[in-house]
Amino acid sequence: MTSLGTLHAPLANFRAYKARVVASFLSLPLDLTPDFVLHTDNRTSEYLAKFPAGKVPAFEGTDGFRLADSSAIAYYIASKAGADSPLLGQTAEETAEILQYILSAEADFLPASLSTVGPLIGFLPFIKPAHQVAEEQTLSYLDGLNRVLLDRTFLVGERITVADIVLACDLILPFRAYLTDADRRQFRNVTRYFKTIISQPAFKAVVPSIELCKERPKPATPVKNEKTKKEKAKKAEKPKAEKPKAEKKAEKPAEEAPKPAPKPKSKLDLLPPPKMVLDDWKRFYSNNDTKPDAVNWLWEHFDEEGYSFWKVEYKYNDELTKIFMSNNLVGGFFNRLERARKYAFGNLLVLGQDSNNQIWGYFMLRGQEVPEEVTDAADYESYTWTKVDHKDPKTKAEIEDCFAWEGSALPREFADGKTFK
Ligand SMILES: N[C@@H](CCC(=O)N[C@@H](CS)C(=O)NCC(=O)O)C(=O)O
Protein backbone atom coordinates (compact mmCIF):
# COMPACT_ATOMS: atom_id res chain seq x y z
CA MET A 1 0.00 0.00 0.00
CA THR A 2 1.41 3.41 -0.89
CA SER A 3 1.98 5.94 1.84
CA LEU A 4 -0.79 8.46 2.58
CA GLY A 5 1.82 11.17 2.59
CA THR A 6 4.36 12.79 4.87
CA LEU A 7 3.85 14.07 8.38
CA HIS A 8 6.32 16.92 8.94
CA ALA A 9 7.26 16.96 12.63
CA PRO A 10 9.92 15.75 15.04
CA LEU A 11 9.32 12.11 16.04
CA ALA A 12 8.82 12.90 19.73
CA ASN A 13 6.01 15.43 19.62
CA PHE A 14 2.65 14.91 21.33
CA ARG A 15 0.81 16.71 18.54
CA ALA A 16 2.40 14.55 15.88
CA TYR A 17 1.53 11.42 17.88
CA LYS A 18 -2.18 12.03 17.14
CA ALA A 19 -1.86 11.34 13.41
CA ARG A 20 0.75 8.63 13.94
CA VAL A 21 -1.42 6.74 16.44
CA VAL A 22 -4.46 6.99 14.15
CA ALA A 23 -2.39 5.65 11.23
CA SER A 24 -1.07 2.90 13.49
CA PHE A 25 -4.64 1.89 14.55
CA LEU A 26 -5.73 1.68 10.95
CA SER A 27 -2.45 0.17 9.65
CA LEU A 28 -2.16 3.02 7.17
CA PRO A 29 1.39 3.83 6.01
CA LEU A 30 2.56 7.35 6.78
CA ASP A 31 6.01 8.80 6.03
CA LEU A 32 7.76 10.57 8.88
CA THR A 33 10.57 13.12 9.12
CA PRO A 34 12.92 11.85 11.87
CA ASP A 35 15.47 14.65 11.30
CA PHE A 36 12.89 17.45 11.58
CA VAL A 37 14.16 20.31 13.76
CA LEU A 38 11.39 22.38 15.34
CA HIS A 39 11.83 26.16 15.03
CA THR A 40 14.29 25.63 12.18
CA ASP A 41 12.73 23.40 9.54
CA ASN A 42 9.30 25.02 9.97
CA ARG A 43 10.82 28.45 9.32
CA THR A 44 12.34 27.75 5.91
CA SER A 45 10.78 29.56 2.96
CA GLU A 46 9.98 26.18 1.42
CA TYR A 47 7.96 25.09 4.48
CA LEU A 48 6.22 28.46 4.81
CA ALA A 49 5.25 28.41 1.14
CA LYS A 50 3.39 25.16 1.78
CA PHE A 51 2.20 25.84 5.35
CA PRO A 52 2.00 29.63 5.82
CA ALA A 53 1.36 29.50 9.59
CA GLY A 54 4.69 27.66 10.03
CA LYS A 55 3.16 25.33 12.61
CA VAL A 56 4.06 21.73 13.35
CA PRO A 57 2.86 19.08 12.58
CA ALA A 58 1.84 19.54 8.96
CA PHE A 59 0.71 16.90 6.49
CA GLU A 60 1.46 16.67 2.80
CA GLY A 61 -0.44 13.94 0.97
CA THR A 62 1.05 11.92 -1.86
CA ASP A 63 -1.77 13.44 -3.92
CA GLY A 64 -0.56 16.97 -3.00
CA PHE A 65 -3.26 17.65 -0.37
CA ARG A 66 -1.91 19.74 2.53
CA LEU A 67 -3.22 20.14 6.04
CA ALA A 68 -1.85 21.86 9.13
CA ASP A 69 -3.39 21.14 12.48
CA SER A 70 -2.65 18.04 14.52
CA SER A 71 -6.27 17.12 15.26
CA ALA A 72 -7.47 17.90 11.73
CA ILE A 73 -4.66 15.72 10.36
CA ALA A 74 -5.58 12.91 12.74
CA TYR A 75 -9.25 13.20 11.72
CA TYR A 76 -8.34 13.22 8.03
CA ILE A 77 -6.18 10.11 8.39
CA ALA A 78 -9.00 8.41 10.31
CA SER A 79 -11.28 9.16 7.37
CA LYS A 80 -8.88 7.46 4.94
CA ALA A 81 -10.16 4.10 6.21
CA GLY A 82 -13.44 4.86 4.41
CA ALA A 83 -16.91 6.11 5.39
CA ASP A 84 -17.25 3.44 8.09
CA SER A 85 -13.81 4.07 9.55
CA PRO A 86 -13.72 2.43 12.99
CA LEU A 87 -12.26 5.58 14.51
CA LEU A 88 -15.02 7.93 13.29
CA GLY A 89 -18.69 8.35 14.22
CA GLN A 90 -21.23 6.04 12.64
CA THR A 91 -24.09 8.52 13.04
CA ALA A 92 -24.42 12.32 12.83
CA GLU A 93 -24.70 12.38 16.63
CA GLU A 94 -21.51 10.38 17.17
CA THR A 95 -19.65 12.54 14.66
CA ALA A 96 -20.82 15.69 16.45
CA GLU A 97 -19.77 14.24 19.82
CA ILE A 98 -16.33 13.38 18.47
CA LEU A 99 -15.95 16.97 17.28
CA GLN A 100 -17.23 18.25 20.61
CA TYR A 101 -14.51 16.41 22.54
CA ILE A 102 -11.73 17.26 20.09
CA LEU A 103 -12.62 20.97 19.96
CA SER A 104 -12.99 21.20 23.71
CA ALA A 105 -9.68 19.41 24.30
CA GLU A 106 -7.94 21.87 21.99
CA ALA A 107 -9.69 25.05 23.11
CA ASP A 108 -10.54 24.50 26.79
CA PHE A 109 -7.90 22.07 27.99
CA LEU A 110 -4.66 22.32 26.01
CA PRO A 111 -3.94 26.07 26.41
CA ALA A 112 -4.60 25.82 30.15
CA SER A 113 -2.58 22.64 30.60
CA LEU A 114 0.40 23.97 28.60
CA SER A 115 0.32 27.16 30.69
CA THR A 116 0.21 25.01 33.82
CA VAL A 117 2.96 22.53 32.99
CA GLY A 118 5.10 24.76 30.70
CA PRO A 119 6.43 27.04 33.48
CA LEU A 120 7.22 24.02 35.69
CA ILE A 121 9.46 22.40 33.09
CA GLY A 122 11.06 25.59 31.84
CA PHE A 123 9.12 25.91 28.57
CA LEU A 124 7.46 29.14 29.64
CA PRO A 125 8.34 31.84 32.17
CA PHE A 126 6.66 31.41 35.57
CA ILE A 127 4.26 34.25 36.36
CA LYS A 128 2.42 33.35 39.53
CA PRO A 129 -1.05 34.90 38.95
CA ALA A 130 -1.20 33.63 35.35
CA HIS A 131 -0.08 30.20 36.54
CA GLN A 132 -2.80 30.10 39.20
CA VAL A 133 -5.50 30.87 36.63
CA ALA A 134 -4.15 28.21 34.27
CA GLU A 135 -4.04 25.62 37.06
CA GLU A 136 -7.64 26.36 38.03
CA GLN A 137 -8.76 25.92 34.40
CA THR A 138 -6.77 22.69 34.01
CA LEU A 139 -8.15 21.17 37.20
CA SER A 140 -11.69 22.29 36.39
CA TYR A 141 -11.50 20.62 32.97
CA LEU A 142 -10.10 17.42 34.51
CA ASP A 143 -12.87 17.46 37.10
CA GLY A 144 -15.53 17.69 34.36
CA LEU A 145 -13.83 14.96 32.36
CA ASN A 146 -13.61 12.78 35.45
CA ARG A 147 -17.39 13.03 35.80
CA VAL A 148 -17.98 12.31 32.09
CA LEU A 149 -15.83 9.19 32.39
CA LEU A 150 -17.46 7.86 35.56
CA ASP A 151 -19.39 5.20 33.66
CA ARG A 152 -17.65 5.25 30.30
CA THR A 153 -14.61 3.50 28.89
CA PHE A 154 -14.40 5.72 25.81
CA LEU A 155 -15.67 9.23 25.10
CA VAL A 156 -18.09 8.33 22.32
CA GLY A 157 -19.97 5.04 22.01
CA GLU A 158 -18.46 1.75 23.05
CA ARG A 159 -15.21 1.82 21.10
CA ILE A 160 -12.13 3.97 20.75
CA THR A 161 -12.45 6.92 18.36
CA VAL A 162 -10.18 9.65 17.09
CA ALA A 163 -11.46 11.83 19.98
CA ASP A 164 -9.88 9.44 22.50
CA ILE A 165 -6.59 9.45 20.61
CA VAL A 166 -6.48 13.25 20.41
CA LEU A 167 -7.36 13.71 24.07
CA ALA A 168 -4.94 11.02 25.29
CA CYS A 169 -2.12 12.73 23.36
CA ASP A 170 -3.05 16.08 24.92
CA LEU A 171 -2.98 14.40 28.35
CA ILE A 172 0.55 12.99 27.95
CA LEU A 173 2.38 16.08 29.19
CA PRO A 174 0.24 16.63 32.33
CA PHE A 175 0.44 12.94 33.22
CA ARG A 176 4.22 12.93 32.74
CA ALA A 177 5.08 16.16 34.48
CA TYR A 178 2.19 17.45 36.60
CA LEU A 179 -0.39 14.96 37.89
CA THR A 180 1.11 13.24 40.93
CA ASP A 181 -0.11 10.04 42.51
CA ALA A 182 -2.53 12.02 44.70
CA ASP A 183 -3.94 13.86 41.66
CA ARG A 184 -4.27 10.59 39.80
CA ARG A 185 -6.34 9.25 42.70
CA GLN A 186 -8.47 12.40 42.69
CA PHE A 187 -9.09 12.10 38.93
CA ARG A 188 -9.28 8.32 39.02
CA ASN A 189 -11.64 7.96 36.04
CA VAL A 190 -9.43 10.15 33.89
CA THR A 191 -6.39 8.14 35.00
CA ARG A 192 -8.08 4.80 34.23
CA TYR A 193 -9.17 6.18 30.86
CA PHE A 194 -5.69 7.55 30.01
CA LYS A 195 -4.07 4.22 30.91
CA THR A 196 -6.63 2.33 28.80
CA ILE A 197 -5.95 4.43 25.71
CA ILE A 198 -2.16 4.49 25.97
CA SER A 199 -2.01 0.72 26.56
CA GLN A 200 -3.68 -0.11 23.25
CA PRO A 201 -1.06 -1.93 21.14
CA ALA A 202 -1.49 0.55 18.27
CA PHE A 203 -0.82 3.43 20.67
CA LYS A 204 2.15 1.63 22.20
CA ALA A 205 3.58 1.06 18.72
CA VAL A 206 4.05 4.84 18.51
CA VAL A 207 4.62 5.79 22.17
CA PRO A 208 6.00 2.66 23.84
CA SER A 209 5.95 3.96 27.42
CA ILE A 210 4.91 7.02 29.37
CA GLU A 211 6.45 7.49 32.79
CA LEU A 212 3.90 9.01 35.15
CA CYS A 213 4.84 12.03 37.27
CA LYS A 214 6.40 11.12 40.63
CA GLU A 215 6.90 14.58 42.00
CA ARG A 216 5.49 17.82 40.63
CA PRO A 217 8.43 20.03 39.59
CA LYS A 218 8.85 23.36 41.33
CA PRO A 219 8.44 26.44 39.13
CA ALA A 220 11.61 27.14 37.14
CA THR A 221 13.93 29.67 38.78
CA PRO A 222 12.15 33.01 38.70
CA VAL A 223 13.45 35.41 36.14
CA LYS A 224 16.11 37.59 37.67
CA ASN A 225 16.40 40.39 35.19
CA GLU A 226 18.13 42.90 37.46
CA LYS A 227 19.08 45.17 34.61
CA THR A 228 15.48 45.75 33.56
CA LYS A 229 14.45 46.29 37.18
CA LYS A 230 17.22 48.84 37.70
CA GLU A 231 16.37 50.62 34.47
CA LYS A 232 12.72 50.82 35.49
CA ALA A 233 13.65 52.21 38.93
CA LYS A 234 15.92 54.81 37.34
CA LYS A 235 13.17 55.89 34.98
CA ALA A 236 10.70 56.24 37.84
CA GLU A 237 13.16 58.38 39.86
CA LYS A 238 14.03 60.77 37.05
CA PRO A 239 11.78 63.89 37.05
CA LYS A 240 10.64 64.80 33.57
CA ALA A 241 12.89 67.65 32.44
CA GLU A 242 11.12 70.71 31.03
CA LYS A 243 11.79 70.86 27.33
CA PRO A 244 13.60 73.95 26.05
CA LYS A 245 11.26 76.44 24.36
CA ALA A 246 12.79 76.07 20.91
CA GLU A 247 12.20 72.34 21.06
CA LYS A 248 8.59 72.90 22.13
CA LYS A 249 8.00 75.16 19.14
CA ALA A 250 9.40 72.63 16.75
CA GLU A 251 6.88 70.12 18.03
CA LYS A 252 3.91 72.13 16.72
CA PRO A 253 4.03 71.89 12.96
CA ALA A 254 4.94 68.26 12.73
CA GLU A 255 5.62 68.46 9.00
CA GLU A 256 8.35 71.03 9.58
CA ALA A 257 10.25 69.00 12.19
CA PRO A 258 13.34 67.35 10.72
CA LYS A 259 12.85 63.63 10.35
CA PRO A 260 15.04 61.64 12.75
CA ALA A 261 17.55 59.33 11.07
CA PRO A 262 16.10 55.81 10.84
CA LYS A 263 17.09 53.86 13.94
CA PRO A 264 19.40 50.91 13.24
CA LYS A 265 17.67 47.66 14.13
CA SER A 266 20.59 46.55 16.26
CA LYS A 267 23.81 48.18 17.43
CA LEU A 268 25.51 45.12 15.99
CA ASP A 269 24.49 46.22 12.49
CA LEU A 270 26.77 49.27 12.95
CA LEU A 271 29.87 47.11 13.45
CA PRO A 272 32.28 46.80 10.50
CA PRO A 273 31.09 43.95 8.25
CA PRO A 274 32.50 40.64 9.51
CA LYS A 275 34.87 38.57 7.43
CA MET A 276 32.90 35.45 8.32
CA VAL A 277 29.16 35.43 7.56
CA LEU A 278 27.31 33.76 10.43
CA ASP A 279 24.72 32.19 8.13
CA ASP A 280 27.50 30.57 6.08
CA TRP A 281 28.80 28.96 9.27
CA LYS A 282 25.31 27.84 10.32
CA ARG A 283 24.71 26.29 6.92
CA PHE A 284 28.08 24.53 6.91
CA TYR A 285 27.53 23.26 10.45
CA SER A 286 24.06 21.93 9.56
CA ASN A 287 25.15 20.14 6.40
CA ASN A 288 28.47 18.58 7.42
CA ASP A 289 29.95 16.36 10.09
CA THR A 290 30.92 18.61 12.99
CA LYS A 291 34.25 16.88 13.54
CA PRO A 292 36.46 17.33 11.68
CA ASP A 293 34.72 19.11 8.77
CA ALA A 294 32.65 21.88 10.38
CA VAL A 295 35.15 22.77 13.10
CA ASN A 296 37.98 22.91 10.55
CA TRP A 297 35.82 25.26 8.45
CA LEU A 298 35.17 27.38 11.53
CA TRP A 299 38.82 27.77 12.55
CA GLU A 300 39.76 28.56 8.97
CA HIS A 301 37.09 31.28 8.58
CA PHE A 302 36.65 32.55 12.16
CA ASP A 303 36.91 36.33 12.38
CA GLU A 304 38.05 37.20 15.90
CA GLU A 305 37.34 40.91 15.50
CA GLY A 306 33.79 40.28 14.37
CA TYR A 307 32.87 37.56 16.88
CA SER A 308 33.66 36.37 20.39
CA PHE A 309 33.32 33.03 22.18
CA TRP A 310 31.49 32.60 25.49
CA LYS A 311 31.22 29.71 27.92
CA VAL A 312 27.62 29.50 29.13
CA GLU A 313 26.71 27.70 32.36
CA TYR A 314 23.40 27.40 34.17
CA LYS A 315 23.61 28.95 37.66
CA TYR A 316 21.19 26.63 39.41
CA ASN A 317 22.32 23.14 38.38
CA ASP A 318 21.50 21.76 41.82
CA GLU A 319 17.81 22.48 41.14
CA LEU A 320 17.75 20.41 37.94
CA THR A 321 16.01 17.03 38.06
CA LYS A 322 15.06 15.08 34.94
CA ILE A 323 17.28 15.29 31.85
CA PHE A 324 14.26 16.02 29.64
CA MET A 325 13.23 18.90 31.90
CA SER A 326 16.73 20.42 31.80
CA ASN A 327 16.67 20.14 28.03
CA ASN A 328 13.23 21.78 27.97
CA LEU A 329 14.67 24.60 30.07
CA VAL A 330 17.29 25.14 27.36
CA GLY A 331 14.56 24.98 24.68
CA GLY A 332 12.57 27.66 26.51
CA PHE A 333 15.66 29.87 26.81
CA PHE A 334 16.40 29.49 23.08
CA ASN A 335 12.79 30.44 22.24
CA ARG A 336 13.24 33.64 24.20
CA LEU A 337 16.54 34.36 22.40
CA GLU A 338 14.69 34.82 19.11
CA ARG A 339 15.97 38.42 18.66
CA ALA A 340 19.54 37.14 18.83
CA ARG A 341 19.19 34.54 16.08
CA LYS A 342 20.91 36.79 13.49
CA TYR A 343 23.86 37.42 15.78
CA ALA A 344 24.48 34.23 17.72
CA PHE A 345 25.20 30.54 17.40
CA GLY A 346 25.66 28.10 20.22
CA ASN A 347 25.11 24.73 21.80
CA LEU A 348 23.91 24.10 25.33
CA LEU A 349 24.29 20.52 26.50
CA VAL A 350 22.70 18.66 29.37
CA LEU A 351 25.47 16.60 30.99
CA GLY A 352 25.03 13.91 33.62
CA GLN A 353 21.98 11.89 34.63
CA ASP A 354 18.47 12.36 36.04
CA SER A 355 18.69 14.15 39.41
CA ASN A 356 22.37 14.95 38.86
CA ASN A 357 22.88 17.03 35.75
CA GLN A 358 24.15 20.37 34.56
CA ILE A 359 23.62 22.70 31.61
CA TRP A 360 26.86 23.71 29.93
CA GLY A 361 27.93 24.98 26.55
CA TYR A 362 29.47 27.56 24.28
CA PHE A 363 28.11 30.44 22.24
CA MET A 364 29.67 32.43 19.45
CA LEU A 365 28.37 36.02 19.50
CA ARG A 366 28.64 38.87 17.03
CA GLY A 367 30.83 41.60 18.53
CA GLN A 368 32.95 41.51 21.68
CA GLU A 369 30.22 41.93 24.32
CA VAL A 370 27.05 40.03 25.12
CA PRO A 371 24.57 42.08 23.05
CA GLU A 372 21.22 43.32 24.30
CA GLU A 373 19.52 40.84 21.98
CA VAL A 374 20.82 38.21 24.43
CA THR A 375 20.71 40.10 27.75
CA ASP A 376 17.07 41.03 27.09
CA ALA A 377 15.97 37.37 27.10
CA ALA A 378 14.02 36.76 30.28
CA ASP A 379 16.24 33.95 31.60
CA TYR A 380 19.63 35.45 30.57
CA GLU A 381 20.36 36.11 34.25
CA SER A 382 20.00 32.42 35.06
CA TYR A 383 23.22 31.68 33.14
CA THR A 384 26.85 32.71 33.63
CA TRP A 385 28.43 34.06 30.45
CA THR A 386 32.25 33.97 30.51
CA LYS A 387 34.27 35.31 27.60
CA VAL A 388 36.90 32.79 26.54
CA ASP A 389 39.97 32.64 24.35
CA HIS A 390 39.17 30.13 21.62
CA LYS A 391 42.89 29.76 20.87
CA ASP A 392 43.59 28.23 24.25
CA PRO A 393 43.97 24.49 23.41
CA LYS A 394 41.69 23.27 26.26
CA THR A 395 38.96 25.79 25.39
CA LYS A 396 39.27 25.02 21.69
CA ALA A 397 38.82 21.29 22.37
CA GLU A 398 35.80 22.01 24.59
CA ILE A 399 34.18 24.18 21.93
CA GLU A 400 34.72 21.48 19.30
CA ASP A 401 33.27 18.70 21.49
CA CYS A 402 30.43 20.92 22.63
CA PHE A 403 29.45 21.70 19.03
CA ALA A 404 29.81 17.99 18.17
CA TRP A 405 27.88 16.83 21.29
CA GLU A 406 30.59 14.25 22.00
CA GLY A 407 34.23 13.87 22.90
CA SER A 408 36.66 13.63 25.77
CA ALA A 409 36.77 17.40 26.36
CA LEU A 410 33.16 17.42 27.67
CA PRO A 411 33.28 17.86 31.45
CA ARG A 412 30.78 15.01 32.03
CA GLU A 413 28.88 12.40 30.05
CA PHE A 414 26.56 13.83 27.40
CA ALA A 415 22.80 13.30 27.92
CA ASP A 416 21.02 15.73 25.61
CA GLY A 417 21.40 19.13 24.04
CA LYS A 418 20.11 21.84 21.79
CA THR A 419 21.69 23.95 19.07
CA PHE A 420 20.85 27.64 18.76
CA LYS A 421 21.19 28.53 15.09
N1 LIG B 1 -3.22 23.87 16.80
C1 LIG B 1 -1.97 23.48 16.24
C2 LIG B 1 -0.84 24.02 17.10
C3 LIG B 1 0.50 23.65 16.53
C4 LIG B 1 1.68 24.16 17.32
O1 LIG B 1 1.61 25.16 18.05
N2 LIG B 1 2.79 23.45 17.19
C5 LIG B 1 4.03 23.85 17.81
C6 LIG B 1 4.92 22.64 17.99
S1 LIG B 1 4.24 21.40 19.02
C7 LIG B 1 4.76 24.75 16.85
O2 LIG B 1 4.55 24.70 15.66
N3 LIG B 1 5.67 25.55 17.37
C8 LIG B 1 6.57 26.30 16.57
C9 LIG B 1 6.17 27.69 16.35
O3 LIG B 1 5.12 28.12 16.87
O4 LIG B 1 6.93 28.35 15.64
C10 LIG B 1 -1.89 21.95 16.16
O5 LIG B 1 -2.48 21.27 17.01
O6 LIG B 1 -1.29 21.43 15.22
Side-chain angles (χ1 to χ4, degrees):
M1 192 175 186
T2 53
S3 164
L4 292 178
T6 304
L7 185 73
H8 297 276
L11 286 189
N13 176 290
F14 78 92
R15 288 189 167 101
Y17 290 158
K18 299 175 188 176
R20 290 179 56 198
V21 172
V22 168
S24 162
F25 261 98
L26 301 172
S27 304
L28 294 172
L30 183 63
D31 289 331
L32 305 175
T33 53
D35 297 329
F36 194 96
V37 182
L38 188 65
H39 301 302
T40 300
D41 290 346
N42 54 316
R43 292 198 181 147
T44 63
S45 45
E46 197 191 346
Y47 190 91
L48 293 170
K50 290 180 186 168
F51 307 105
K55 291 289 181 183
V56 176
F59 172 80
E60 196 172 10
T62 21
D63 56 0
F65 176 63
R66 292 188 197 124
L67 201 54
D69 180 274
S70 57
S71 303
I73 299 168
Y75 196 97
Y76 174 70
I77 292 177
S79 75
K80 292 309 255 183
D84 55 355
S85 165
L87 293 177
L88 295 184
Q90 303 303 309
T91 62
E93 286 73 19
E94 279 187 1
T95 302
E97 279 188 333
I98 287 173
L99 287 178
Q100 166 191 265
Y101 287 115
I102 292 179
L103 295 175
S104 151
E106 299 307 297
D108 303 331
F109 178 60
L110 200 53
S113 99
L114 292 178
S115 304
T116 297
V117 189
L120 303 185
I121 59 171
F123 256 144
L124 295 171
F126 178 73
I127 300 158
K128 204 170 178 188
H131 192 252
Q132 267 170 356
V133 173
E135 266 189 322
E136 276 164 27
Q137 290 170 343
T138 302
L139 297 175
S140 149
Y141 179 91
L142 290 175
D143 184 51
L145 184 62
N146 202 48
R147 278 182 280 119
V148 166
L149 291 169
L150 179 64
D151 53 3
R152 284 193 216 176
T153 307
F154 302 109
L155 288 173
V156 181
E158 298 305 325
R159 60 197 166 78
I160 194 163
T161 67
V162 63
D164 299 305
I165 294 169
V166 165
L167 182 59
C169 290
D170 287 348
L171 284 167
I172 291 176
L173 187 61
F175 268 103
R176 273 178 73 183
Y178 181 74
L179 297 168
T180 58
D181 196 35
D183 301 315
R184 296 197 290 272
R185 267 182 272 123
Q186 183 186 346
F187 302 118
R188 67 164 51 81
N189 305 325
V190 178
T191 305
R192 172 194 25 86
Y193 165 79
F194 179 68
K195 286 183 177 169
T196 304
I197 307 298
I198 63 167
S199 336
Q200 305 290 317
F203 204 108
K204 272 182 141 4
V206 175
V207 195
S209 73
I210 294 169
E211 199 187 330
L212 301 183
C213 174
K214 288 198 183 80
E215 195 184 341
R216 187 174 294 167
K218 303 263 178 312
T221 307
V223 169
K224 299 179 176 82
N225 201 339
E226 290 303 328
K227 190 177 147 221
T228 320
K229 271 192 223 153
K230 274 185 207 154
E231 271 170 7
K232 273 189 190 156
K234 250 192 195 168
K235 263 190 191 165
E237 271 170 26
K238 223 178 180 177
K240 272 195 181 163
E242 183 71 5
K243 283 186 185 169
K245 273 186 184 165
E247 220 181 279
K248 273 190 179 171
K249 245 188 190 171
E251 268 176 13
K252 285 236 161 153
E255 334 59 272
E256 284 170 29
K259 277 195 184 151
K263 242 184 161 183
K265 274 194 192 137
S266 162
K267 278 188 199 149
L268 297 173
D269 294 335
L270 300 176
L271 294 175
K275 293 189 198 86
M276 181 185 87
V277 177
L278 194 57
D279 276 345
D280 289 348
W281 156 247
K282 291 184 182 181
R283 213 168 296 121
F284 200 92
Y285 175 82
S286 303
N287 295 329
N288 294 278
D289 288 341
T290 306
K291 280 196 307 187
D293 301 345
V295 292
N296 284 347
W297 187 100
L298 179 64
W299 301 134
E300 196 182 315
H301 294 83
F302 185 66
D303 163 10
E304 60 186 352
E305 278 156 31
Y307 300 88
S308 50
F309 269 103
W310 299 77
K311 182 187 270 193
V312 182
E313 289 164 292
Y314 190 58
K315 287 184 188 166
Y316 311 104
N317 287 322
D318 51 348
E319 292 175 10
L320 300 174
T321 55
K322 297 264 182 207
I323 295 289
F324 86 89
M325 288 184 190
S326 306
N327 210 35
N328 284 345
L329 200 67
V330 174
F333 180 39
F334 283 4
N335 287 343
R336 290 181 279 284
L337 276 180
E338 191 48 43
R339 277 185 68 214
R341 211 166 281 279
K342 241 176 96 183
Y343 310 105
F345 169 88
N347 278 276
L348 285 186
L349 311 184
V350 182
L351 306 174
Q353 314 103 24
D354 280 345
S355 307
N356 176 15
N357 57 80
Q358 68 184 89
I359 299 174
W360 173 97
Y362 279 94
F363 260 72
M364 182 165 71
L365 300 178
R366 182 80 172 93
Q368 299 303 318
E369 305 298 328
V370 181
E372 64 168 1
E373 283 77 4
V374 172
T375 58
D376 267 0
D379 23 13
Y380 162 74
E381 298 280 349
S382 300
Y383 294 81
T384 311
W385 291 70
T386 314
K387 195 172 188 180
V388 296
D389 173 10
H390 69 281
K391 283 182 280 191
D392 167 69
K394 181 171 180 287
T395 306
K396 191 175 179 202
E398 283 188 3
I399 293 172
E400 292 185 356
D401 286 0
C402 169
F403 286 6
W405 293 19
E406 62 182 7
S408 56
L410 298 182
R412 283 172 76 187
E413 76 271 28
F414 169 81
D416 211 341
K418 287 202 189 288
T419 302
F420 182 82
K421 57 182 179 174

